[in-house]
Amino acid sequence: MGTAQQSQQDAAAGARNLLVNCAQMRTGEHLVIAFEPEHYGYFEKDIREDIALVARALGAQVTLVDVGFEPVPMGLPPALAGLLDQADVVLFLARLGDQLRFAELPQGPRFVVCFALGSQLLGSAFGTADYRAFVAIKHAVDRAMLASRGIRLTCPLGTDVVGRVPADLRQAEDTTSARFPMSVFSPVPAAEFSGRVALAGFLTGTGSRYYDRYTVEFDAPVFAILKAGRLCGFDGAPADVARAHQQYDRVATLFGLDKTCVHSWHAGLHPGCGFPWPLRDQYERWGGCAFGNPRVAHFHTCGANAPGEISWNLFDPTIEVDGRILWDRGTFHVERLNEGPDILAAYPCAARAFAAPDRAVGLDEGS
């Protein structure tokens, strides 16, 4: 079989996983694909074509609607809102879906936000490993976090944060849309966490709103100082510290936010989530995809509501939950969860992904 033919088959398998296992689409239903044109440089054209082809083969009616891209969205565009009464499933191949992932969406259709940016990722283990396996894993991690008495987060660059989930929290907060692939556990509230977070050389946005100077880079190591869910300052070279404060002041003023609030954090849990491009060439795409790799953890900051407007990203986290190391320098040991071995046994495709994780997260070779 030729490489092109195999790639097409792999992308089709990823599309079926999305449509059937995630969106639960049935024959005769109406799928609306809300897409962002490729000239914006974010989603690739091939993914909407491949998904539409598979959806029609599964017996769905498919409508594609161009929703463009707005740095600060005001809600659903009229062209999409006018289709909701007819739609059974609305699939976002557009940043709009990510921007609205914590917003209340109209009742009726099943909304899905896709984090595979093109057919290359859709056809990788990121897209083809059974969606249901990672929903089960996500729920298992959520349960472990909610039941925990103490959590510690560290990384090789010097991150050291400790804390716990609030005692009165009984249910994990989640998005209002389904995510495909399922690649993170529910955000852990940061209100009872304190320590130092190594910022990995940059600050960037969260994909909620886009603004001028979305990313700032540092010349030397910088640490964010966290105390009981509050940003208390930065530690590093004076020029870098000034640059960090300026970014927070500017973004908080722009959107009327509490700049010191650190809302929550979580880490990637999908070993198939590779990002094969240099992150410094495309921070916005990196931030909208690579967060699902277990080598990446991030905090939602600058704002009292998830996901905030500035993220702290750290690489190769170690996450210890009640003395049990679930993430070890960027390797997620799902088998250490109570339900982990049973999930892997039930879904061999997920077990294969964990046995051969994709370690590409946009860093230079050898980083």
Side-chain angles (χ1 to χ4, degrees), residues 42-98:
Y42 196 88
F43 278 92
E44 297 164 12
K45 182 180 180 181
D46 59 359
I47 190 170
R48 70 174 181 266
E49 294 174 337
D50 287 336
I51 292 173
L53 185 67
V54 171
R56 292 186 178 107
L58 292 171
Q61 176 188 350
V62 179
T63 300
L64 288 91
V65 56
D66 180 349
V67 295
F69 168 66
E70 292 292 338
V72 181
M74 303 304 292
L76 294 175
L80 175 58
L83 293 170
L84 296 186
D85 288 344
Q86 314 165 33
D88 297 293
V89 176
V90 175
L91 169 64
F92 286 103
L93 298 177
R95 275 174 282 184
L96 176 65
D98 198 25

Side-chain angles (χ1 to χ4, degrees), residues 237-307:
D240 286 332
V241 168
R243 193 174 294 126
H245 280 296
Q246 288 166 3
Q247 183 76 341
Y248 270 83
D249 289 340
R250 187 174 62 84
V251 174
T253 299
L254 183 63
F255 298 115
L257 301 172
D258 179 351
K259 74 174 187 178
T260 68
C261 183
V262 179
H263 182 275
S264 53
W265 65 271
H266 50 189
L269 55 75
H270 202 307
C273 179
F275 190 83
W277 309 282
L279 74 89
R280 285 182 171 82
D281 290 349
Q282 42 192 322
Y283 277 106
E284 293 179 9
R285 294 186 91 219
W286 180 87
C289 175
F291 68 87
N293 192 298
R295 292 191 64 195
V296 181
H298 69 273
F299 284 76
H300 305 131
T301 84
C302 195
N305 297 307

Side-chain angles (χ1 to χ4, degrees), residues 177-220:
S177 302
R179 294 186 297 263
F180 179 89
M182 179 61 74
S183 53
V184 287
F185 53 89
S186 297
V188 176
E192 297 186 23
F193 283 82
S194 300
R196 292 161 57 87
V197 179
L199 297 182
F202 61 92
L203 289 170
T204 192
T206 63
S208 171
R209 290 178 279 203
Y210 293 84
Y211 41 84
D212 185 39
R213 287 171 286 158
Y214 186 76
T215 301
V216 294
E217 296 183 336
F218 303 124
D219 296 323

Side-chain angles (χ1 to χ4, degrees), residues 7 13 24 28 70 96 103 121 137 143 149 173 201 253 255 258 261 264 274-275 296 307 312 329 334 353 358-359 366:
S7 297
Q24 301 178 9
E70 292 292 338
L96 176 65
L121 297 182
I137 291 168
R143 284 190 287 270
R149 296 180 302 278
E173 179 184 4
T253 299
F255 298 115
D258 179 351
C261 183
S264 53
F275 190 83
V296 181
W312 298 343
R329 294 175 67 95
V334 65
D358 191 332
R359 302 283 291 176

